Amino acid sequence: MSAADQHIDLEYFLKKVPLFSSIPDSQISEIASCFHFLEVKKDSIVFRQGDLSDSMYIIRTGAVSIYSEKNQAQSFQAELRRGDFFGEMALLSDLPRNADAKVTLDATLFYLKKEDFETLLSKNKHIGLFLSRLYARRLSSGYENKAIREKSTFYTISATDPDLGLSHFLYSMSYHISTESNKKVLVVEPHLELESIMQKFGLGIIPCPDERLFDLLPEDTYKTGDFKWFHHPAGFRVLQVNTGFNEKLVPVLPLLMESFKYRYDIVVFSLSHHFGNLEQQAVRLCDKNLFLINNTKTALQDVKHKLNRLEEKAGLGLDRVRVGVSHLCGSHGIAREQLKKDLNLSETPQIWVDRSDKALNDQIDTQKRFPIKGARAVAREIAGVRIGLALGAGAARGWSHIGVLKVLEDQGIHIDMIAGTSMGALVGAIFAAHGSVDHLRKNTIDLLLTRAQARKQIFDYTLPFRGLLRGKKAMNLVANAIDHADFMDLLIPTFLVGVDIIKGEEVLFETGDVAKAVRSSLSLPAVFAPFKYRGRWMVDGGLLNPVPVNILEQKGADKVIAVCVENHRSTPEQISKSLGIMGVISRTISIVHGRATSGFAQKSDIVIYPDVQGFAWDDFHKGELLMQRGITACEQVIEEIKTLVQ
């Protein structure tokens, strides 16, 4: 293959690699020009544990296995195939390789040198966000070595203005981290001094819990009275630094952080709206920086200026600065999608502080509300306890998803994000709009109690040039159930999968009209006519990704529950000798989806297989029975799920 052909091939390939999926096509060509090509034979070593880190790799063809060595014994970590990348974590940490990479099937690799990788990160925030989430997922699943997994994480939190509810957000977040995980949390307050304010947040003053925390500090740099300690019944602690000591803390801050990292899992420096020497030092040293902004038009230029200063001081790294919005100031704000564009953010910012009595009165929000939002949503991300639910394809059999959701709701299992394909997209989107199984049921299976009702609500026959059904009725059913919502209106972050039938590639929907995205995802060939949306002819996402676990992994879920209605463990169904058109379609769905589901289970923490044998693709009127199958299947593993979320 010539160099020009390699470049064209790489451009096409990179567009399909999840790491680069959010980058505009116009930038892909420039990125492709930075890569180098390498052919490696089976059993060759790409790099060894302890080697210096100089490149990251993407697999074009073949397979690579990752091994770590401890006590002179090799331990298998992962097998990587087409589209997977490796070696980037060592570049980011600037540490030697912590594993061997061995080619197990003749491979062609594209690799990127360290300096080019750093340039790529600095220009494309989406890549930093994706890697940050993937890294967290790998660490929680034991991909990296134990020493790295036990490393503390340091955060700063700051705001553009003093009246955005930062303290309410900070202490609510700390409360939820402490109560939803075993992590030890410390908040460092260089600015808040009044004990009465601390009492409003439920914090009581305590003696220094461990004098050894200051062992590394030179004795002439501090006095015992320079620090005050507070404790919250939830378990987190607050270290308050007296005014006047702030400047003395600047040169010794790394020493203090060195002591913290052996005693706390998460340390948060509250910088308020200040950005002096101490704040700049903290931003430079911490792993991540949370930034709470005022989103009114009059404040936009000030927000841009302060964000630029923060990013400049934070420097290059994985998703170093995260932005959230406060709705405490101003009655008319800029839409979050517009904020993303105007501020060049890696993703649409969440609403971290909304108008509430607790926020306005400086009190901790301790309620475990569902759907999850605000401080609790950020806390679960930081704590690494976010639960993703992948709902698979399967036509009418997908009503069993409702039964699974019913058990999770009854047991108080809160879902942080949903990914759905085909019928899983329909069920997931309607549930995400209201976060209520009762609403979901009333707007789906309760409307389709008989075959006649199902045909009236869903079946809009058309001339079979492209499909049996037009699909407009199904789309309207969804639109009415979700109040014609945009993805931004959904209470639970949701991601839907379709397939571009012309290009033969997977398409992810996470913005825009939800009902049209659902219609795109459930366009099963021969049943529903292909649906033209955003200039693409869309068909059923189940053709390529029937159970979209990988989407949840990309979006940062820490634990994944998958629901598959094509049960690979079941026995073949009885087929009559005279198989009609409906039977042919039903068997086609099962075969296509069943073949494509291979591989998703190993990326899931728990897989639920409702017993849906004997149900046809068009048994939409049997929702009650199918829902019960989902209830039964979920109840069988509910103790495992409880263990997972605890």
Side-chain angles (χ1 to χ4, degrees):
M1 186 184 293
S2 67
D5 290 338
Q6 283 181 8
H7 185 85
I8 294 172
D9 176 68
L10 179 56
E11 281 189 48
Y12 179 76
F13 178 63
L14 288 179
K15 292 177 184 178
K16 297 186 176 184
V17 175
L19 178 62
F20 300 100
S21 60
S22 299
I23 296 177
D25 289 352
S26 59
Q27 297 180 26
I28 289 290
S29 180
E30 179 184 352
I31 292 171
S33 65
C34 298
F35 277 88
H36 305 275
F37 182 75
L38 181 66
E39 290 185 336
V40 192
K41 296 296 184 183
K42 184 178 183 296
D43 295 328
S44 297
I45 302 297
V46 181
F47 55 71
R48 293 189 181 277
Q49 187 170 331
D51 286 352
L52 294 177
S53 306
D54 60 355
S55 302
M56 70 157 289
Y57 302 83
I58 299 179
I59 302 174
R60 180 67 177 87
T61 61
V64 175
S65 289
I66 306 297
Y67 298 89
S68 63
E69 188 170 319
K70 189 174 183 180
N71 298 328
Q72 298 183 332
Q74 272 200 336
S75 173
F76 173 77
Q77 297 290 330
E79 183 175 73
L80 308 178
R81 293 186 176 273
R82 174 184 168 87
D84 289 332
F85 51 91
F86 60 100
E88 77 291 343
M89 295 307 171
L91 292 186
L92 290 164
S93 62
D94 207 23
L95 294 172
R97 305 289 189 187
N98 63 1
D100 295 348
K102 181 179 180 180
V103 175
T104 52
L105 188 66
D106 285 0
T108 54
L109 308 174
F110 290 111
Y111 67 96
L112 195 64
K113 290 289 187 180
K114 182 176 181 178
E115 56 271 19
D116 293 324
F117 178 65
E118 291 178 345
T119 301
L120 181 64
L121 266 182
S122 65
K123 290 183 177 181
N124 298 276
K125 295 180 180 179
H126 296 91
I127 294 179
L129 176 63
F130 179 90
L131 287 174
S132 177
R133 288 171 169 170
L134 181 63
Y135 197 23
R137 173 76 175 165
R138 284 180 175 178
L139 295 182
S140 67
S141 62
Y143 180 86
E144 299 286 340
N145 64 44
K146 184 175 177 61
I148 293 178
R149 280 194 285 125
E150 292 181 347
K151 179 181 178 293
S152 301
T153 306
F154 291 90
Y155 291 81
T156 70
I157 181 166
S158 56
T160 51
D161 292 288
D163 300 318
L164 299 183
L166 183 142
S167 294
H168 158 77
F169 173 75
L170 168 60
Y171 290 123
S172 297
M173 181 184 76
S174 301
Y175 172 87
H176 288 296
I177 295 173
S178 300
T179 55
E180 300 198 30
S181 73
N182 294 319
K183 296 186 182 296
K184 297 178 180 178
V185 181
L186 174 66
V187 176
V188 181
E189 281 278 12
H191 302 289
L192 191 62
E193 284 193 337
L194 294 178
E195 191 173 330
S196 60
I197 295 178
M198 307 301 276
Q199 289 173 351
K200 287 186 69 174
F201 288 109
L203 291 153
I205 195 163
I206 60 171
C208 176
D210 190 348
E211 295 291 348
R212 292 174 299 174
L213 283 167
F214 307 111
D215 283 352
L216 296 178
L217 300 186
E219 291 184 3
D220 58 349
T221 61
Y222 77 100
K223 301 187 297 291
T224 304
D226 290 328
F227 302 105
K228 288 182 182 177
W229 286 88
F230 295 84
H231 175 81
H232 191 277
F236 68 90
R237 290 171 177 166
V238 178
L239 171 61
Q240 191 180 91
V241 181
N242 284 350
T243 300
F245 183 64
N246 292 354
E247 290 303 314
K248 293 181 182 179
L249 196 58
V250 174
V252 298
L253 189 58
L255 299 176
L256 195 58
M257 292 172 68
E258 183 73 16
S259 294
F260 289 160
K261 75 178 184 180
Y262 293 112
R263 294 167 176 83
Y264 296 97
D265 301 303
I266 295 167
V267 180
V268 186
F269 288 86
S270 177
L271 308 183
S272 185
H273 59 288
H274 304 281
F275 205 62
N277 292 332
L278 175 63
E279 290 76 22
Q280 294 180 50
Q281 175 80 317
V283 166
R284 185 181 67 82
L285 294 173
C286 285
D287 304 295
K288 294 179 180 291
N289 301 274
L290 306 178
F291 190 46
L292 184 61
I293 69 168
N294 182 333
N295 73 324
T296 60
K297 292 182 179 179
T298 55
L300 185 60
Q301 288 304 315
D302 184 51
V303 169
K304 286 182 178 179
H305 172 68
K306 291 179 178 178
L307 178 59
N308 288 339
R309 289 181 67 197
L310 189 65
E311 291 184 324
E312 181 181 350
K313 186 57 65 173
L316 183 67
L318 282 183
D319 192 27
R320 290 293 303 277
V321 178
R322 295 289 303 278
V323 176
V325 174
S326 172
H327 280 176
L328 292 190
C329 293
S331 56
H332 299 286
I334 302 171
R336 287 185 288 148
E337 283 285 2
Q338 189 63 41
L339 276 176
K340 176 186 176 182
K341 180 179 178 181
D342 290 345
L343 299 177
N344 188 28
L345 303 177
S346 58
E347 64 178 353
T348 305
Q350 295 175 308
I351 299 171
W352 286 355
V353 180
D354 221 333
R355 202 171 284 273
S356 69
D357 289 340
K358 289 186 180 294
L360 294 170
N361 292 293
D362 285 332
Q363 295 176 343
I364 294 178
D365 185 357
T366 61
Q367 294 189 15
K368 301 296 184 183
R369 292 186 180 88
F370 182 75
I372 301 163
K373 62 179 183 177
R376 188 182 177 211
V378 180
R380 288 173 64 85
E381 178 177 355
I382 290 174
V385 297
R386 290 189 297 176
I387 303 296
L389 181 66
L391 301 177
R397 296 172 172 182
W399 290 143
S400 59
H401 293 318
I402 301 178
V404 172
L405 286 165
K406 173 64 174 171
V407 175
L408 296 178
E409 182 180 80
D410 289 346
Q411 295 293 329
I413 308 297
H414 291 175
I415 300 301
D416 296 84
M417 62 185 75
I418 296 171
T421 295
S422 194
M423 197 62 173
L426 184 149
V427 171
I430 297 176
F431 179 71
H434 292 267
S436 164
V437 173
D438 185 55
H439 175 86
L440 169 59
R441 176 174 176 161
K442 286 179 179 177
N443 286 272
T444 53
I445 61 178
D446 284 357
L447 301 176
L448 316 171
L449 298 177
T450 66
R451 186 175 288 276
Q453 288 176 332
R455 291 184 182 279
K456 182 178 180 180
Q457 293 285 343
I458 297 177
F459 285 50
D460 44 4
Y461 292 101
T462 183
L463 292 174
F465 297 131
R466 293 177 177 168
L468 189 64
L469 307 175
R470 283 186 297 174
K472 188 174 182 179
K473 284 187 175 182
M475 185 168 70
N476 288 339
L477 181 145
V478 174
N480 292 330
I482 64 175
D483 302 321
H484 301 271
D486 184 276
F487 274 88
M488 291 286 286
D489 301 319
L490 298 180
L491 299 181
I492 305 168
T494 300
F495 314 98
L496 309 180
V497 178
V499 170
D500 182 330
I501 191 63
I502 304 299
K503 295 184 178 180
E505 63 186 27
E506 183 178 315
V507 178
L508 178 64
F509 295 104
E510 53 184 323
T511 60
D513 189 305
V514 176
K516 289 181 179 178
V518 171
R519 172 65 182 88
S520 299
S521 183
L522 55 76
S523 300
L524 189 70
V527 178
F528 288 102
F531 182 62
K532 192 171 186 179
Y533 184 44
R534 296 179 178 176
R536 295 172 176 253
W537 283 104
M538 302 304 305
V539 296
D540 192 296
L543 297 179
L544 293 180
N545 197 349
V547 189
V549 168
N550 66 312
I551 301 300
L552 296 173
E553 184 180 31
Q554 293 170 21
K555 296 302 179 180
D558 301 289
K559 304 293 181 183
V560 174
I561 301 170
V563 188
C564 178
V565 297
E566 297 298 341
N567 191 341
H568 69 285
R569 298 179 299 188
S570 61
T571 56
E573 299 179 31
Q574 295 294 322
I575 304 297
S576 62
K577 293 182 179 179
S578 56
L579 192 63
I581 182 63
M582 294 302 183
V584 170
I585 292 174
S586 186
R587 287 299 297 155
T588 301
I589 293 171
S590 294
I591 292 170
V592 171
H593 288 175
R595 291 288 177 87
T597 54
S598 60
F600 82 93
Q602 64 185 10
K603 294 185 177 181
S604 308
D605 295 281
I606 292 176
V607 183
I608 301 171
Y609 293 100
D611 182 3
V612 292
Q613 282 196 320
F615 291 92
W617 75 271
D618 60 340
D619 281 341
F620 294 102
H621 61 295
K622 296 182 180 180
E624 180 69 34
L625 292 173
L626 284 159
M627 178 178 172
Q628 187 57 51
R629 296 295 177 92
I631 289 173
T632 301
C634 192
E635 286 177 340
Q636 290 172 352
V637 296
I638 192 61
E639 294 306 318
E640 294 179 45
I641 294 175
K642 288 180 179 179
T643 300
L644 179 72
V645 302
Q646 290 170 0

